[in-house]
Amino acid sequence: MLDVVQPGQVVYVIIRNPHVQGVANVQEAAVVMDPNSPGNFSLFIYETYYPLNNDFAIYQTASEAEDAYKEAFGFSDVEGFYG
């Protein structure tokens, strides 16, 4: 997946809440040039740059990310998956 992302692209990831590890949600992220590592990409989420690597499961659409979330964590009773 890393070879098909471009700067400025919007993607979706499943990210865990850093304060409550048992909580995860689908989050929209922007692919940007990494300001801390020239020539590399980052995901910009929650006003933070995360170096783009194979640790992230990246989805092209919210629907794909939601399906993966449901498969990994089960169905949510709460409307929407976004944090």
Side-chain angles (χ1 to χ4, degrees):
M1 175 64 182
L2 295 180
D3 57 336
V4 297
V5 296
Q6 299 295 319
Q9 183 178 357
V10 172
V11 295
Y12 299 85
V13 297
I14 299 172
I15 190 167
R16 289 194 182 274
N17 181 319
H19 305 291
V20 184
Q21 285 297 302
V23 175
N25 57 30
V26 173
Q27 181 63 46
E28 185 178 273
V31 177
V32 298
M33 295 303 294
D34 190 329
N36 303 311
S37 180
N40 293 315
F41 296 146
S42 283
L43 291 174
F44 189 63
I45 310 167
Y46 299 131
E47 304 296 321
T48 303
Y49 294 95
Y50 294 89
L52 187 56
N53 57 43
N54 289 323
D55 291 341
F56 286 97
I58 300 170
Y59 303 93
Q60 297 289 323
T61 67
S63 178
E64 289 174 340
E66 290 169 3
D67 289 346
Y69 179 97
K70 289 175 188 175
E71 186 175 317
F73 298 102
F75 290 93
S76 172
D77 293 333
V78 180
E79 287 263 339
F81 294 88
Y82 299 95

